Amino acid sequence: MCIGVPFQVIQTDSHKAYCQRGAEQRWIDTSLVGDVVPGDWLLVFLDAAREVLTEARAQQVEEAVSAIERVMSGQSVDLDDCFKDLVEREPQLPDHLKPLLK
């Protein structure tokens, strides 16, 4: 499975952009999303941008990816805090996806 992560554009060149996510910087192929400018946010899969994001949406994706990384590393995670966009949302998660109460 491939998970998209948000990167912010630092500089651009023909069909590619130098982008940053945290301390990581790399060139991203922008052929599928068209022209981008420094400051834009991209949803990136395997070094290729698939979508231009708003800053708010990029933050939501980053929070979700960060939660997944913490869970995979064995850290305790408050899922309601990590997935704020899903809390009190209709329809609710099915029972098998809800966290177990202790």
Side-chain angles (χ1 to χ4, degrees):
M1 176 167 69
C2 182
I3 296 177
V5 292
F7 275 82
Q8 188 170 32
V9 176
I10 297 171
Q11 71 182 62
T12 62
D13 199 354
S14 179
H15 305 292
K16 61 184 178 180
Y18 195 63
C19 300
Q20 180 170 346
R21 176 179 181 245
E24 181 181 4
Q25 296 181 346
R26 63 169 81 165
W27 284 100
I28 303 297
D29 179 354
T30 59
S31 300
L32 295 176
V33 296
D35 293 334
V36 295
V37 296
D40 282 350
W41 286 92
L42 304 174
L43 186 60
V44 176
F45 293 79
L46 301 173
D47 290 335
R50 299 290 193 265
E51 182 180 346
V52 177
L53 303 172
T54 64
E55 184 174 359
R57 183 67 178 141
Q59 182 62 37
Q60 285 180 325
V61 173
E62 184 59 43
E63 288 173 3
V65 171
S66 176
I68 292 167
E69 289 171 341
R70 291 193 311 269
V71 167
M72 290 180 68
S73 70
Q75 297 178 31
S76 178
V77 175
D78 178 357
L79 294 178
D80 283 351
D81 189 47
C82 296
F83 298 96
K84 295 174 190 168
D85 59 320
L86 299 178
V87 175
E88 297 180 17
R89 176 182 154 190
E90 294 296 333
Q92 289 291 313
L93 289 173
D95 289 337
H96 70 281
L97 293 177
K98 291 180 181 177
L100 298 175
L101 299 176
K102 294 180 180 181

